[in-house]
Amino acid sequence: FLEFRSIPYGTKRDGELVLNRYSSLVTNGYEFPGAQAMLYAAGIKSQEDMRKKPQVGVASVWWEGNPCNMHLLDLGKAVKEGLEKNGMIGWQFNTIGVSDAITMSNQGMRFSLQSRDIIADSIETTTCAQHHDANISIPGCDKNMPGCIMAMARHNRPSIMIYGGSIKGGYSERLRQPVNISSCFEAHGALMYGKISEADLDDVVRHACPGPGGCGGMYTANTMATAIEAMGLTLPGSSTTPAESPAKMRECLRATEAIKVCLEKDIKPRDLITRESFENAMVVTMIMGGSTNAVLHFLAMSHTADLDLTIDDFQRVSDKIPYLADLKPSGKYMVTDLAEIGGMPSVLKFLIHANLVNGDIPTVTGKTLRENCESAPSLDPGQDIIRPLSNPIKSSGHIRILKGNLAPGGAVAKITGKEGKVFVGKARVYDGEPALIASLERGEIRPDENTVLCVRYEGPKGGPGMPEQLKTSAVLMGAGLRNVALITDGRYSGASHGFIVGHIVPEAQVGGPLAVLKDGDIVTINAETNQISMNVSDEEIASRLKSWKAPCLKVTRGTLAKYVHLVGDASHGAVLDMF
Ligand code: FES
């Protein structure tokens, strides 16, 4: 990665350690008077401040139109004030972001994964171009977290992530039950199959999201936040402190104290983003029943930090780590419930004591992960959110890496154990999710026959952007169709559950075997042997592929067209710089 000119660590000025090692290049001396003029205009008050104070970029993925992100500007302001109190200068800036729930229309969802890389690009750009000495990033929605961490791995200046926090749970008076974002999709499925009324659906929709915060189950945002906390890149408790709690504001202040420690001790992202910390991230993802998107994002983060994590590492970890957390989407509880029993510090303390998580890794506090968690309350034996190791929900991880003649380059399955371990069914093939949704709306999926619904041309290039198939999986749940499995070269939302396999590589658009799967072929998904295959011989697949022609790309201009040309496959994180 590009090493920028900076004053060497350890340099002293007037007997004090120089902390503004990057910004000094423009704020000291008279080589760049124009830069200094601009900085005075932007708020620097004195020459002393100009010359001595470290400048910290405060990057929030703020925008108004999404509960996951709408409060992040205020968190950024609190960080800026904290920086000033602690003798630093904070520069707030924003990146773009998209709401995975709002992009859910097929067109919008094509931009979701791409937003991860734009977030990384924009934070990297501002940090490096503006000579920031450090960075505090404040993400909220799914792709925000990996985007922020990828940027940190690129600029490698002292950095801390503050997660925006989870939303409160909602409640539907009509249905007399707690509701959340995935209840909306399931209620839609229930409406389609006549199980609830339109008024019931409307009540669910109106009460599912009662304020700011990321989706509150162990969906992608919380999966990434808990894993990143286990990597030591946040303050203890960041991932489970609710969005609206006063503790979230206090965290913003504490983060500014911690960033000073990072500057003083020269703790940089690449000191923390290591093979060891990725092991912790993978373990926590399995324990918590996290989203399949974690596979894609960890691979992308690892690539950005020049590490060699592979898709097979997930299977290795999944084989030895149980699934313990009874959290939504397949469990009972929300992350706000987890916060009440001690939150992530208590979970990490438990996992460190059980030797499942490495407590010796360094963190942004300047202490080890173990030291950070020591004072957290131990998990109460009476709680049932995190099961004991002696009574797991599943004795191995729920994420399986499948391979076979349908996915020679790999696929990612989420099998919690509730769905069974092997599924065999007749393929029903759809080119894109809308075709499948239309088929469901026509009531074409038979409840009395095992069916493997295949949604293809939804990969990184074909989608483009690997759109999530949340709607389909949730509608199937809501409709009560339990005898179906869903496979795709696209992705699933962290809120998806059921017998689902995504990230199939190679994708259909580039001539993967999925492109020649036909209605009626028998597909076998075996989560014990980690295989996904169709009952079609290699010769027949080769012959079908001979007469197959790639469909035209869906976009030829604009940001997605650039994306299509650059994006790599899902088994390598769907990154844009795989050269
Ligand atoms: Fe933002 Fe779910 S849509 S976290």
Side-chain angles (χ1 to χ4, degrees), residues 33-114:
Q36 292 171 19
M38 294 277 178
L39 291 167
Y40 279 126
I44 292 187
K45 293 185 184 75
S46 67
Q47 192 180 60
E48 165 102 353
D49 287 359
M50 177 76 74
R51 296 202 166 160
K52 283 199 175 160
K53 287 188 173 173
Q55 299 191 14
V56 182
V58 182
S60 73
V61 190
W62 169 80
W63 84 101
E64 283 183 320
N66 187 35
C68 327
N69 300 76
M70 62 198 268
H71 60 306
L72 302 187
L73 192 63
D74 293 335
L75 298 186
K77 280 184 188 149
V79 170
K80 184 178 165 80
E81 282 168 22
L83 287 167
E84 276 163 20
K85 266 190 207 146
N86 284 293
M88 293 168 277
I89 296 167
W91 297 123
Q92 277 190 272
F93 64 99
N94 290 115
T95 76
I96 62 97
V98 301
S99 161
D100 272 37
I102 298 171
T103 59
M104 206 42 83
S105 71
N106 191 256
Q107 258 79 7
M109 186 40 101
R110 290 173 179 159
F111 293 87
S112 163
L113 184 56
Q114 184 216 25

Side-chain angles (χ1 to χ4, degrees), residues 63 66-69 98-104 140-145 163 165 167 181 213-217 219-222 468 470 493-495:
W63 84 101
N66 187 35
C68 327
N69 300 76
V98 301
S99 161
D100 272 37
I102 298 171
T103 59
M104 206 42 83
C141 198
D142 296 9
K143 307 301 172 286
N144 302 182
M145 270 68 75
Y163 174 48
I167 196 169
I181 186 68
C215 298
Y219 311 145
T220 303
N222 283 324
E468 292 177 350
L470 169 64
S493 154

Side-chain angles (χ1 to χ4, degrees), residues 67-333:
C68 327
N69 300 76
M70 62 198 268
H71 60 306
L72 302 187
L73 192 63
D74 293 335
L75 298 186
K77 280 184 188 149
V79 170
K80 184 178 165 80
E81 282 168 22
L83 287 167
E84 276 163 20
K85 266 190 207 146
N86 284 293
M88 293 168 277
I89 296 167
W91 297 123
Q92 277 190 272
F93 64 99
N94 290 115
T95 76
I96 62 97
V98 301
S99 161
D100 272 37
I102 298 171
T103 59
M104 206 42 83
S105 71
N106 191 256
Q107 258 79 7
M109 186 40 101
R110 290 173 179 159
F111 293 87
S112 163
L113 184 56
Q114 184 216 25
S115 74
R116 177 191 76 187
D117 298 77
I118 296 178
I119 291 165
D121 290 352
S122 58
I123 298 177
E124 177 193 12
T125 299
T126 303
T127 305
C128 296
Q130 299 305 118
H131 312 282
H132 289 166
D133 300 300
N135 173 268
I136 297 180
S137 283
I138 314 173
C141 198
D142 296 9
K143 307 301 172 286
N144 302 182
M145 270 68 75
C148 291
I149 301 300
M150 286 162 76
M152 290 175 190
R154 292 183 195 169
H155 59 67
N156 202 32
R157 298 175 197 192
S159 299
I160 295 179
M161 187 185 99
I162 299 173
Y163 174 48
S166 279
I167 196 169
K168 288 188 295 216
Y171 191 81
S172 163
E173 290 291 348
R174 268 186 86 91
L175 297 187
R176 293 180 189 281
Q177 64 184 49
V179 288
N180 61 69
I181 186 68
S182 52
S183 314
C184 300
F185 300 103
E186 291 174 13
H188 181 208
L191 177 72
M192 274 184 207
Y193 280 71
K195 300 187 172 186
I196 62 171
S197 69
E198 273 185 30
D200 293 336
L201 171 62
D202 188 52
D203 196 58
V204 171
V205 171
R206 278 174 185 275
H207 296 102
C209 299
C215 298
M218 192 45 62
Y219 311 145
T220 303
N222 283 324
T223 299
M224 295 308 297
T226 48
I228 288 167
E229 183 170 332
M231 294 176 79
L233 290 155
T234 69
L235 292 186
S238 183
S239 63
T240 44
T241 302
E244 291 192 277
S245 94
K248 189 47 83 179
M249 278 294 178
R250 288 199 295 275
E251 181 189 341
C252 293
L253 183 60
R254 288 195 297 121
T256 64
E257 292 156 6
I259 202 74
K260 195 151 192 190
V261 172
C262 293
L263 281 160
E264 286 166 350
K265 296 193 173 183
D266 197 28
I267 300 169
K268 300 185 295 302
R270 285 182 181 224
D271 301 328
L272 309 180
I273 306 171
T274 59
R275 277 299 304 210
E276 290 75 26
S277 65
F278 272 119
E279 287 292 318
N280 280 2
M282 290 188 286
V283 167
V284 162
T285 300
M286 300 304 168
I287 294 281
M288 305 302 271
S291 156
T292 48
N293 277 317
V295 178
L296 197 68
H297 297 324
F298 292 172
L299 290 169
M301 288 155 53
S302 152
H303 168 78
T304 311
D306 293 317
L307 296 170
D308 58 356
L309 196 72
T310 70
I311 195 165
D312 298 321
D313 284 312
F314 290 85
Q315 189 55 53
R316 174 180 53 78
V317 173
S318 181
D319 284 341
K320 62 175 190 184
I321 299 297
Y323 167 31
L324 299 181
D326 193 9
L327 293 165
K328 286 185 181 302
S330 50
K332 228 181 352 199
Y333 292 103

